Amino acid sequence: MHPALSIIVFTTLSGLGYGLATALGTGLLDPAATATKAAHLLALALIAAGLMSSTLHLGNPQRAWRAFSQWRSSWLSREGVMAVLTFLPLAASAFLAIFESRYEPALGLAGAALSLVTVYCTAMIYASLKSVQTWHTPLTPLCYLLFALAGGFSLSTFFAAMGGGNLLLSSGLAAFFVCLAWIAKLVWRNRMNTLRPISTPETATGLGFIGKVRLFERPHINDNYLTNEMGFRVARKHAVKLAALSFGLGGIVPVALLLGLLALGAAHPAVAVGVALLAVLSHITGMLVERWLFFAEARHAVMNYYGG
Amino acid sequence: MTSLPATAPAKKLGLVIDLDVCVGCHACVISCKEWNTGGYGAALSDQDPYGAEVSGTFLNRVHSFEVIPEGGEIVGEAGEARIVHFPKSCLHCDDAPCVTVCPTGASYKRTEDGIVLVDEDMCIGCGLCAWACPYGAREMDLAAGVMKKCTLCVDRIYNETIQEIDRVPSCVRTCPANARHYGDLADPQSEVSLMVAARGGIDLMPEQGTRPVNKYLPPRPRQVLGAGSEQALLAENTDGATGFFAWLDGVLERI
């Protein structure tokens, strides 16, 4: 599948934003601290930037409002509806923290739960597609949810170090979720690598009863919308290296830094801020590579008709 | 509404494509583009039409496959090795995944005849339906920013302003080999249903669970290369010749 930059940025940023909103919703950080107020703003900004970015790939974005109508059948529509619903408690929590230095548990937990539901809807857009077998597994939403939590708690660790408090708990939880997310992702990758395609050129053409089916000639010489959109293959050449890179930057480095924070304790606040920031930046870079691979490595059933 | 019809459509209009007959001339591709660029919805645009990187929106395309049986690559050697031309357009599936994923309600399946259509005024061009379709039946028009697909020439088949003989999809009307057939596949006595029953018509990618309406008729068994060999030997043999030919045979033998 073609890894569109807008979708990669959208899923990464909104995942981070919803993850941070979840961490804030648990009341982990001191609502009176300036750092916590900034964290609330950043969560909303990340979510908003992600959603804006997702409209960039639309052919007719002026009609995007129509996407709220088909929540009965469409995960994309559900995601849109949930994003709006989630915004209400998140904005209210942010208002309380920023202007009244207050944390309201019911509101916070509702925002956290809705944030995770929204991430789940995003993941289900991909997981519901039977035509892309790599994505068509409950492991896909599991990875999305765990990565959102991993990124969110890493970010909250940074804000904790900035003065939001609860640095040890936050970095411990962040390290825990980063580990869990990568375990899920490695199981997901293992499934992908050992997958037996359910659709083949033989089933796609119905000619398997004669023998082995091989594309002789495409319908046209050049690429078309389908081969551009579904036939992306550049990544496969470097897939192993890129996967290792995303695992290192998105998993090993942040976990090492977060565990370092645990060992460091609250002794050196300035060092803690730097270490937490490094962990966050490394994780985000790793996640961008991971999301890129998520699309680039996925094979669409239509490629059975295009020899890919 | 992007939920599928609750009850099965009374009619299931669709195509039956005979892979034994298609010669791969692409006439259906061209007539489809010609009719549909001026018909239902936005025109079918081309990008860089006179340049090196020409591409464009098509609702029907013809692929060609080679099928090699176990035991030999040379045509005739193992009996069945062959090239099969393979026209492909929307299959108007009963369980159309492209319909249910649509976030806006632009993509829908008609309850009266089962045709899957896009209401282009509601389409936001997100492309998710094209992702959901395992057959590659949907292509985004890059100029209009909306999703295009086969309409089964819905603006021909019910069109009383054109002659009755023309009230079939453009690809069916134009096929010079008569490889394409159109009709109601819900009616077991329709011409297309009888054809499917007689020839063992098949679904493409049944494992995807889409239950396509369109059917493909598989190629008939091929005659093996040696089957006509006795005929070839007769040309060397004048044993049965009588009359003038027997005299001529004798004369030529003596020269």
Side-chain angles (χ1 to χ4, degrees):
Chain A
M1 303 291 292
H2 173 69
L5 189 63
S6 62
I7 303 185
I8 292 171
V9 170
F10 157 62
T11 60
T12 310
L13 290 190
S14 71
L16 269 174
Y18 285 120
L20 179 56
T22 307
L24 289 169
T26 60
L28 188 63
L29 300 185
D30 172 15
T34 313
T36 310
K37 299 175 200 288
H40 275 284
L41 283 180
L42 181 70
L44 293 178
L46 284 171
I47 293 167
L51 291 176
M52 298 287 255
S53 149
S54 74
T55 62
L56 289 180
H57 79 287
L58 298 181
N60 279 287
Q62 76 282 7
R63 301 180 196 141
W65 60 272
R66 288 189 183 276
F68 296 120
S69 67
Q70 301 303 311
W71 49 270
R72 285 181 199 82
S73 70
S74 165
W75 282 104
L76 179 50
S77 186
R78 284 171 197 164
E79 180 204 36
V81 171
M82 287 313 299
V84 172
L85 283 183
T86 307
F87 201 76
L88 302 175
L90 293 189
S93 283
F95 181 89
L96 285 183
I98 293 167
F99 294 106
E100 299 182 9
S101 298
R102 239 166 15 98
Y103 165 70
E104 188 63 56
L107 202 58
L109 291 176
L114 286 171
S115 293
L116 293 179
V117 172
T118 310
V119 172
Y120 180 76
C121 290
T122 303
M124 282 308 292
I125 295 171
Y126 308 110
S128 67
L129 298 177
K130 203 171 180 184
S131 51
V132 185
Q133 206 181 342
T134 315
W135 295 348
H136 192 59
T137 160
L139 288 170
T140 299
L142 183 68
C143 289
Y144 269 73
L145 282 169
L146 289 173
F147 275 129
L149 289 169
F153 277 92
S154 298
L155 263 177
S156 85
T157 304
F158 168 70
F159 285 105
M162 289 286 284
N166 245 335
L167 178 64
L168 290 185
L169 181 58
S170 188
S171 56
L173 282 171
F176 172 71
F177 282 123
V178 175
C179 287
L180 220 53
W182 276 103
I183 291 170
K185 185 68 195 186
L186 292 178
V187 174
W188 186 94
R189 280 198 71 83
N190 183 52
R191 175 187 172 275
M192 176 184 79
N193 291 329
T194 54
L195 212 57
R196 236 182 106 91
I198 58 163
S199 293
T200 61
E202 285 75 30
T203 67
T205 58
L207 297 172
F209 74 97
I210 301 176
K212 188 103 187 105
V213 177
R214 193 162 66 182
L215 184 72
F216 179 68
E217 208 170 34
R218 282 187 172 194
H220 42 81
I221 298 165
N222 291 326
D223 276 323
N224 64 14
Y225 171 74
L226 295 170
T227 58
N228 284 331
E229 189 77 1
M230 328 284 182
F232 194 81
R233 283 200 283 178
V234 178
R236 296 195 193 152
K237 188 176 162 198
H238 299 299
V240 175
K241 284 179 200 164
L242 286 169
L245 190 71
S246 73
F247 181 59
L249 288 176
I252 292 174
V253 173
V255 167
L257 292 172
L258 289 164
L259 291 179
L261 274 181
L262 276 179
L264 192 69
H268 306 278
V271 180
V273 169
V275 172
L277 184 63
L278 267 181
V280 167
L281 292 178
S282 175
H283 179 71
I284 294 176
T285 313
M287 284 315 297
L288 287 170
V289 179
E290 188 271 339
R291 279 302 133 84
W292 195 80
L293 282 171
F294 177 77
F295 291 96
E297 284 192 285
R299 182 178 183 274
H300 194 283
V302 76
M303 293 318 287
N304 288 313
Y305 294 109
Y306 283 93
Chain B
M1 268 312 291
T2 54
S3 294
L4 290 162
T7 52
K11 284 203 280 184
K12 288 184 189 179
L13 298 183
L15 301 176
V16 170
I17 293 169
D18 193 339
L19 297 177
D20 200 47
V21 172
C22 178
V23 296
C25 72
H26 292 241
C28 56
V29 178
I30 303 307
S31 81
C32 167
K33 176 110 173 179
E34 191 276 335
W35 177 266
N36 285 295
T37 200
Y40 182 98
L44 299 171
S45 71
D46 291 313
Q47 279 67 46
D48 193 17
Y50 303 103
E53 289 302 309
V54 56
S55 75
T57 316
F58 284 79
L59 312 183
N60 175 37
R61 295 182 184 265
V62 179
H63 303 238
S64 296
F65 293 96
E66 52 182 355
V67 197
I68 300 155
E70 224 172 299
E73 292 207 7
I74 297 166
V75 173
E77 190 178 77
E80 297 285 333
R82 59 178 68 202
I83 297 286
V84 178
H85 301 293
F86 195 91
K88 187 167 59 62
S89 52
C90 173
L91 309 173
H92 299 281
C93 302
D94 274 345
D95 279 335
C98 57
V99 169
T100 50
V101 298
C102 176
T104 69
S107 191
Y108 64 106
K109 184 171 175 73
R110 306 205 324 170
T111 43
E112 62 269 38
D113 52 18
I115 299 178
V116 176
L117 287 176
V118 175
D119 180 343
E120 294 178 9
D121 290 335
M122 284 165 75
C123 176
I124 56 174
C126 69
L128 188 57
C129 55
W131 284 16
C133 174
Y135 305 105
R138 290 175 168 239
E139 297 188 18
M140 178 98 76
D141 189 89
L142 296 182
V146 294
M147 196 54 73
K148 302 296 295 188
K149 69 176 294 300
C150 162
T151 66
L152 210 63
C153 284
V154 71
D155 48 355
R156 286 175 71 102
I157 58 178
Y158 296 113
N159 192 339
E160 292 184 0
T161 66
I162 59 176
Q163 288 187 8
E164 202 170 345
I165 194 173
D166 289 327
R167 289 178 211 160
V168 294
S170 181
C171 56
V172 173
R173 184 76 181 94
T174 208
C175 178
N178 208 21
R180 305 181 70 107
H181 307 274
Y182 155 78
D184 179 9
L185 286 138
D187 171 9
Q189 291 309 312
S190 70
E191 211 176 312
V192 282
S193 293
L194 293 175
M195 219 179 274
V196 169
R199 293 276 303 282
I202 49 158
D203 288 346
L204 304 185
M205 294 196 208
E207 69 279 2
Q208 291 279 341
T210 54
R211 297 199 296 134
V213 168
N214 285 12
K215 304 288 180 216
Y216 282 74
L217 305 181
R220 294 184 176 90
R222 170 175 241 133
Q223 285 190 323
V224 294
L225 202 59
S229 57
E230 282 173 37
Q231 209 67 36
L233 284 174
L234 269 178
E236 299 287 314
N237 185 352
T238 53
D239 280 353
T242 54
F244 171 72
F245 290 108
W247 172 79
L248 186 63
D249 182 42
V251 170
L252 290 171
E253 279 292 331
R254 281 193 291 275
I255 290 173

